[in-house]
Amino acid sequence: MMELSDTPAKYLDKFIEDHLLPDENFYTQVNEAIHIICSFLKERCFQGAPDPVRVSKVVKGGSSGKGTTLRGRSDADLVVFLTNLKSFQEQLQRRGEFIKEIRRQLEACQREKIFEVKFEVQKQQWENPRALSFELRSRELQEWVEFDVLPAFDALGQVTKGYRPDPQVYVRLIQECKSLGKEGEFSPCFTELQRAFLKECPTKLKSLIRLVKHWYQMCKEKLGKPLPPQYALELLTVYAWEQGSTKTKFETAQGFQTVLELVLKHQHLCIYWEKYYDFENPIIEQYLRRQLEKPRPVILDPADPTGNVAGGDPCSWQRLAQEARAWLSYPCLKNSDGPPVVSWDVSPQDHSDLTYEACGFRQSYRTSPRLTFQGGAPPQVEESWTCAIL
């Protein structure tokens, strides 16, 4: 197998097709495993519980749900929505008891030889774990499939194509996150929106996302922790395409190079979307303003405004940026017998000029086009932002 770093730019599409796209057998294996666990969660898991527990839905998340799975990575996230959870706070307080019950029932199924399970014990050492992590294999499966099962509060209800939440859903999320001090903690509640956001991407963009994820996994193997969350790289890839191309057909090397260059500019990243929430509601607007004033990098989860998926560790981005700088000189971003690869023209910040009024002065800042600051302090700006007295 030719290494990605040695693959000429014009052959990147073939590299993705030959090495990164999951094969049919892989899909069959993962889908069979998901069917087994979904049936278990809906039909058996909580039948013997002391208090009636009802599963309203089980949603496939992660790469499997978004359609960006890499070949050979048989992992699946399943979010189980329980009618017994009536709020985000209840999810936080009670998820541990539901995880214990799920594990107990899985072990019972193993004793009955319905399937085999192996648990990742280290993730269960916390008092109130967020997810139950395990591997599963059955008679129908030749390989082990990794699972994360997460109990969640059903904040959205029925989600259909083109669904946009009532703003009050996000008002409630913001208020409960504030009172609990748990920003980004409840992203599993918005799995269906996260999945739709990426699943609706063009096929070629999903291929580019796979390429970036493959590069990220290589960096992870080489550098270890800490690194930024992989989800941040996925969203950064979407942003690069939206700002630089928007075409269903594009040069993969251009997209890859653009993402790497954005990683180098991590100290200036300020990215968000308005697909599911916007600035119309005053509570949401005020909260988003504070989110976008935070130290860079900022990449807001398009489905959950409380989640800055860029993470809070600048060191992790610095380490990834060093690797990105080296890769920009590799053959995979060069055409030996053609024109040089030219990245898309993409700003690291989703912004335009706005007017900030304070102390009788009118000043121009570069930031979000949806925000107007009245009094108080302007956003904490990087040295590359423009500021001029008008």
Side-chain angles (χ1 to χ4, degrees), residues 29 32 36 109-110 112-116 136-143:
Q29 288 277 303
E32 177 62 31
I36 290 170
C109 288
Q110 177 158 260
E112 296 168 25
K113 299 185 178 179
I114 298 173
F115 45 66
E116 296 178 74
L136 174 138
R137 185 171 67 182
S138 72
R139 289 184 293 272
E140 294 81 15
L141 303 174
Q142 291 115 23
E143 299 178 5

Side-chain angles (χ1 to χ4, degrees), residues 252-308:
T252 298
Q254 273 191 299
F256 187 32
Q257 180 165 305
T258 304
V259 173
L260 296 185
E261 290 180 357
L262 285 172
V263 171
L264 292 181
K265 300 172 184 175
H266 61 89
Q267 291 177 316
H268 309 290
L269 290 177
C270 185
I271 300 168
Y272 64 98
W273 289 265
E274 292 187 88
K275 184 176 177 66
Y276 301 119
Y277 55 80
D278 56 33
F279 297 79
E280 297 301 317
N281 181 285
I283 294 176
I284 300 174
E285 185 273 335
Q286 186 180 39
Y287 181 79
L288 288 174
R289 182 179 71 178
R290 287 198 300 270
Q291 286 287 75
L292 298 174
E293 289 172 4
K294 288 182 176 179
R296 310 294 183 250
V298 172
I299 304 175
L300 294 190
D301 187 331
D304 175 8
T306 71
N308 175 17

Side-chain angles (χ1 to χ4, degrees), residues 7-24:
T7 303
K10 64 180 179 180
Y11 294 125
L12 285 180
D13 289 331
K14 181 167 174 49
F15 178 89
I16 295 169
E17 182 179 350
D18 291 347
H19 305 296
L20 304 186
L21 293 179
D23 56 32
E24 188 174 338

Side-chain angles (χ1 to χ4, degrees), residues 142-188:
Q142 291 115 23
E143 299 178 5
W144 292 89
V145 176
E146 299 174 6
F147 279 96
D148 279 342
V149 174
L150 302 88
F153 159 55
D154 190 357
L156 300 177
Q158 185 177 3
V159 176
T160 56
K161 189 173 182 180
Y163 173 89
R164 184 179 171 91
D166 185 308
Q168 289 305 312
V169 171
Y170 288 117
V171 170
R172 182 178 184 181
L173 171 69
I174 289 166
Q175 290 173 339
E176 291 201 43
C177 280
K178 279 183 182 177
S179 65
L180 297 168
K182 294 287 185 180
E183 288 184 313
E185 183 71 27
F186 305 106
S187 62

Side-chain angles (χ1 to χ4, degrees), residues 37-49:
I37 294 299
C38 284
S39 299
F40 159 78
L41 290 169
K42 291 176 182 177
E43 299 168 10
R44 167 164 178 157
C45 185
F46 299 106
Q47 295 303 311

Side-chain angles (χ1 to χ4, degrees), residues 84-326:
N84 301 61
L85 299 176
K86 305 296 185 183
S87 66
F88 298 107
Q89 182 173 353
E90 275 201 17
Q91 174 181 318
L92 182 66
Q93 293 173 339
R94 299 189 62 192
R95 64 191 181 193
E97 69 182 77
F98 292 113
I99 284 177
K100 287 178 184 177
E101 181 63 19
I102 293 170
R103 176 166 183 165
R104 189 177 73 83
Q105 293 292 343
L106 282 170
E107 290 171 335
C109 288
Q110 177 158 260
R111 287 194 295 272
E112 296 168 25
K113 299 185 178 179
I114 298 173
F115 45 66
E116 296 178 74
V117 288
K118 290 193 297 189
F119 295 99
E120 292 188 24
V121 177
Q122 69 272 18
K123 289 192 178 182
Q124 305 314 311
Q125 292 175 350
W126 308 325
E127 286 186 15
N128 190 21
R130 192 167 185 251
L132 177 65
S133 300
F134 60 93
E135 296 179 43
L136 174 138
R137 185 171 67 182
S138 72
R139 289 184 293 272
E140 294 81 15
L141 303 174
Q142 291 115 23
E143 299 178 5
W144 292 89
V145 176
E146 299 174 6
F147 279 96
D148 279 342
V149 174
L150 302 88
F153 159 55
D154 190 357
L156 300 177
Q158 185 177 3
V159 176
T160 56
K161 189 173 182 180
Y163 173 89
R164 184 179 171 91
D166 185 308
Q168 289 305 312
V169 171
Y170 288 117
V171 170
R172 182 178 184 181
L173 171 69
I174 289 166
Q175 290 173 339
E176 291 201 43
C177 280
K178 279 183 182 177
S179 65
L180 297 168
K182 294 287 185 180
E183 288 184 313
E185 183 71 27
F186 305 106
S187 62
C189 300
F190 303 92
T191 294
E192 289 165 286
L193 302 184
Q194 294 169 337
R195 182 179 69 178
F197 183 80
L198 286 176
K199 199 167 186 178
E200 294 167 5
C201 292
T203 301
K204 183 103 188 243
L205 176 54
K206 288 182 185 177
S207 291
L208 177 59
I209 291 172
R210 284 189 173 95
L211 183 67
V212 171
K213 286 170 64 173
H214 177 69
W215 172 76
Y216 174 86
Q217 292 298 329
M218 293 173 66
C219 294
K220 192 174 179 181
E221 290 174 9
K222 177 181 177 180
L223 303 175
K225 295 180 179 180
L227 285 182
Q230 181 176 274
Y231 187 34
L233 273 294
E234 295 178 40
L235 292 178
L236 191 61
T237 306
V238 173
Y239 174 76
W241 174 81
E242 286 179 342
Q243 299 295 314
S245 175
T246 71
K247 297 177 180 178
T248 56
K249 294 183 179 179
F250 55 85
E251 186 181 339
T252 298
Q254 273 191 299
F256 187 32
Q257 180 165 305
T258 304
V259 173
L260 296 185
E261 290 180 357
L262 285 172
V263 171
L264 292 181
K265 300 172 184 175
H266 61 89
Q267 291 177 316
H268 309 290
L269 290 177
C270 185
I271 300 168
Y272 64 98
W273 289 265
E274 292 187 88
K275 184 176 177 66
Y276 301 119
Y277 55 80
D278 56 33
F279 297 79
E280 297 301 317
N281 181 285
I283 294 176
I284 300 174
E285 185 273 335
Q286 186 180 39
Y287 181 79
L288 288 174
R289 182 179 71 178
R290 287 198 300 270
Q291 286 287 75
L292 298 174
E293 289 172 4
K294 288 182 176 179
R296 310 294 183 250
V298 172
I299 304 175
L300 294 190
D301 187 331
D304 175 8
T306 71
N308 175 17
V309 303
D313 184 3
C315 176
S316 66
W317 283 93
Q318 292 168 12
R319 298 173 77 239
L320 193 65
Q322 290 175 354
E323 198 67 13
R325 190 181 302 280

